[in-house]
Amino acid sequence: MKKIIQDARELLTPSEDMRYEKNRVAEISLNRVKEEVEKYEEIVGVEIGGSYAKDTWLETEMDIDIFVKFKDTTPKEEFVNISQKVGFDAMKEYQPYTRYSEHPYVEAKINQTKINIVPCYNVNLGEWKSSADRSPYHTKNMVESLTTEMKKDVRLLKKFLQSAGIYGAEIAKQGFSGYASEVLVLNFKSFENVVNAMTDLKKNDIVGETDEEFHTPIVIIDPIDSKRNLAAAISKENVGKFILRCRAFQKNPKIQFFEQNKQFKVDVDPQNILVVSFKFKTRSPETIWGQSKKASASLRTKLNLEGYNVLRNGAFVNENGEGWLFFLLESIRISSMYVRVGPEFFSRNYVESFIEKNSQKSKLMWVGSGGKITTLESRKFNDAVSFLDELLKNGQAKLPKGLEEDFKDGFEVFAGIDELNESVKDTISDLVSTDDTFLYFN
Ligand code: CTP
């Protein structure tokens, strides 16, 4: 294991050229922001944070995060408006645009590097007014605590997670944040120790110290805020993938654990993949992802109730207002007939009303072996595409309110993946192919 770790460390340490480029971009953008903030007495300082400041960045993943610190007496509205103005004015030569987290922030790209200009309040430890207020404390703590070796190991852990497709705390990923990776390495002192600790992890084990109770499959406490669980947004499935990967790496360490070897694969009949595509009006990523996941879960229930066996389901949305819900079915077609079980023959009134209601539709009616009146009826549709299409057209699908409006403007239901673009296929690939992790056990 040690040899593989050593090789991976070398591969992942940024080159001098890359460092030079990132330093150059960081300096340009920091100076531009500093010039702009001079105009506002509400702003008390500007600092670089995130993985660039902590020297834990990966060549493939890094953004430069510039935090604009506001007096804690600044009203929320001005905090948002002024930081937008600062961001847009500072980055005006680089086509800035707005992105959304808890608050909007400004992003721009200089060459290939993204710059995020994020507002936060200048508050005392623990007196948080917005979620970004912790970040300057995170940076300070990591800069002071991580040794050079640990920084290399943070890169290793980030890449290990990235290669498994579980890096990133955003709702689209529900994986491990860069900061959670830093906390894990700091806590266990090395990548190797993180791997070994994770292989033996028990349900609800806690990394760090806290008085609070959390009920996530793994709990990672923020060292500067013992009330915050950094694993709160990690899905159970992704915790599982991480632990399995750690066990596989422990058993059979290979450099592939740090490589991006994702290819599009489908290990099932693509005709059993049911897709609903739609367009939506812009809203925050949290909202649209939440609504799409809910819609996918609710349609799964409807499909199951109708007799389709949904093995897995998911959702994907992009920044262009396009969304997809998908379902892996055991079979896209089911029998054209179904059995309806009615009341027991002793219940005279119920039996009569059951017979009255169903005799027209019934192909066959009998007293079942349990004494219940039973009929065989035809389905209106026996393929999932027509069934779901009609359900959505009739407005019986019980979609979340916000999405219902979008669906009124149109949607499409189809089977198979030929019409899908690459990024959607990537997401579907996770659903319809065996995760590489399992292969690493061999
Ligand atoms: N942060 C956090 N919790 C998260 C995500 C981010 O506290 N779930 C804070 C941390 O202080 C982090 C900073 O926001 O350092 C910037 O986060 P981000 O840009 O998402 O990632 P980095 O940590 O910079 O990692 P990288 O860019 O290498 O992916």
Side-chain angles (χ1 to χ4, degrees):
M1 188 189 289
K2 291 205 166 21
K3 165 91 175 73
I4 299 288
I5 289 180
Q6 198 45 43
D7 291 350
R9 276 182 181 158
E10 270 159 42
L11 270 175
L12 296 175
T13 302
S15 66
E16 282 310 311
D17 285 354
M18 187 59 92
R19 275 185 195 279
Y20 177 81
E21 168 64 7
K22 300 291 173 187
N23 291 342
R24 188 184 72 85
V25 171
E27 200 182 317
I28 297 175
S29 31
L30 185 64
N31 287 339
R32 292 289 303 112
V33 176
K34 278 186 173 162
E35 279 166 30
E36 289 304 323
V37 304
E38 291 298 321
K39 302 175 190 162
Y40 303 95
E41 58 164 26
E42 291 85 348
I43 299 174
V44 295
V46 179
E47 67 175 59
I48 294 203
S51 60
Y52 173 78
K54 298 177 231 168
D55 193 21
T56 55
W57 51 279
L58 288 175
E59 289 194 357
T60 51
E61 196 72 16
M62 76 91 81
D63 305 337
I64 292 176
D65 301 305
I66 300 181
F67 290 91
V68 178
K69 296 164 93 171
F70 283 76
K71 282 183 189 160
D72 64 357
T73 48
T74 315
K76 274 270 153 82
E77 208 182 320
E78 281 176 50
F79 169 86
V80 171
N81 292 343
I82 296 175
S83 68
Q84 286 276 299
K85 181 117 184 53
V86 165
F88 273 90
D89 290 345
M91 291 290 122
K92 59 176 182 275
E93 293 153 53
Y94 307 103
Q95 287 93 42
Y97 45 93
T98 302
R99 298 205 57 186
Y100 296 89
S101 176
E102 183 191 85
H103 295 295
Y105 61 95
V106 176
E107 189 170 279
K109 239 182 181 179
I110 302 186
N111 292 335
Q112 286 314 304
T113 306
K114 280 188 193 150
I115 320 294
N116 297 322
I117 299 166
V118 182
C120 68
Y121 283 104
N122 186 39
V123 291
N124 292 326
L125 192 77
E127 296 172 4
W128 322 119
K129 291 190 70 168
S130 83
S131 61
D133 303 351
R134 296 182 185 85
S135 285
Y137 287 96
H138 292 158
T139 308
K140 186 165 182 292
N141 181 37
M142 287 299 166
V143 166
E144 285 169 4
S145 317
L146 290 175
T147 63
T148 310
E149 289 303 292
M150 287 181 193
K151 289 176 192 168
K152 289 184 183 167
D153 279 12
V154 170
R155 291 190 162 100
L156 227 58
L157 179 56
K158 286 184 176 182
K159 195 72 198 180
F160 185 81
L161 292 162
Q162 210 184 78
S163 147
I166 55 174
Y167 182 68
E170 61 276 13
I171 180 153
K173 271 275 157 61
Q174 293 187 296
F176 292 72
S177 64
Y179 182 57
S181 317
E182 288 160 1
V183 171
L184 283 173
V185 170
L186 184 63
N187 195 87
F188 293 104
K189 310 283 181 251
S190 71
F191 172 77
E192 189 176 349
N193 291 347
V194 172
V195 168
N196 289 333
M198 291 301 129
T199 57
D200 278 334
L201 197 83
K202 303 285 175 298
K203 230 181 185 171
N204 306 116
D205 266 359
I206 296 182
V207 177
E209 279 174 27
T210 184
D211 297 331
E212 304 283 314
E213 263 198 45
F214 296 103
H215 300 282
T216 47
I218 173 179
V219 177
I220 306 170
I221 300 300
D222 185 343
I224 66 118
D225 182 355
S226 67
K227 290 185 167 50
R228 181 168 183 237
N229 173 15
L230 297 169
I234 308 174
S235 72
K236 194 170 189 174
E237 197 179 339
N238 286 341
V239 174
K241 268 192 192 176
F242 181 47
I243 290 173
L244 282 180
R245 273 219 163 197
C246 287
R247 290 189 194 141
F249 183 74
Q250 194 185 50
K251 194 168 169 209
N252 196 0
K254 285 183 188 158
I255 200 76
Q256 282 92 323
F257 283 87
F258 305 98
E259 287 172 353
Q260 213 65 40
N261 46 5
K262 232 179 136 153
Q263 337 157 318
F264 178 62
K265 273 196 311 176
V266 181
D267 296 337
V268 293
D269 178 357
Q271 279 310 309
N272 289 328
I273 303 171
L274 176 69
V275 185
V276 181
S277 67
F278 60 96
K279 295 215 163 51
F280 60 89
K281 293 181 197 81
T282 320
R283 63 199 81 158
S284 82
E286 291 292 321
T287 310
I288 186 64
W289 273 98
Q291 291 174 339
S292 304
K293 286 184 177 191
K294 260 201 201 130
S296 175
S298 122
L299 294 183
R300 175 184 183 141
T301 308
K302 297 275 183 197
L303 284 159
N304 277 334
L305 284 174
E306 183 62 15
Y308 295 92
N309 191 7
V310 183
L311 305 174
R312 303 186 77 186
N313 66 301
F316 179 73
V317 297
N318 66 20
E319 291 188 347
N320 307 325
E322 299 169 308
W324 293 264
L325 311 176
F326 23 78
F327 308 86
L328 172 62
L329 304 181
E330 192 176 86
S331 170
I332 197 95
R333 278 186 180 281
I334 50 176
S335 159
S336 57
M337 311 289 268
Y338 70 101
V339 169
R340 185 192 287 271
V341 179
E344 210 183 15
F345 60 78
F346 283 117
S347 318
R348 182 173 179 161
N349 292 344
Y350 289 128
V351 167
E352 277 177 20
S353 103
F354 182 81
I355 295 174
E356 203 180 306
K357 258 194 219 144
N358 294 290
S359 55
Q360 289 284 319
K361 297 182 268 177
S362 176
K363 302 275 174 212
L364 188 71
M365 194 175 279
W366 69 98
V367 178
S369 53
K372 290 185 170 170
I373 311 295
T374 308
T375 77
L376 186 66
E377 294 177 14
S378 297
R379 285 196 158 88
K380 184 167 176 196
F381 302 113
N382 72 329
D383 72 290
V385 174
S386 316
F387 167 72
L388 208 55
D389 193 54
E390 176 163 284
L391 193 81
L392 288 163
K393 279 191 179 132
N394 287 347
Q396 290 168 352
K398 293 235 160 26
L399 296 176
K401 274 268 168 297
L403 268 192
E404 226 164 43
E405 288 305 308
D406 295 307
F407 270 67
K408 280 185 192 151
D409 296 339
F411 60 86
E412 217 184 314
V413 185
F414 53 93
I417 51 172
D418 297 344
E419 296 177 36
L420 300 173
N421 67 35
E422 289 309 307
S423 55
V424 188
K425 279 186 176 167
D426 262 358
T427 313
I428 289 204
S429 179
D430 283 345
L431 221 66
V432 296
S433 59
T434 301
D435 184 341
D436 287 348
T437 309
F438 297 105
L439 310 177
Y440 288 133
F441 276 97
N442 291 321

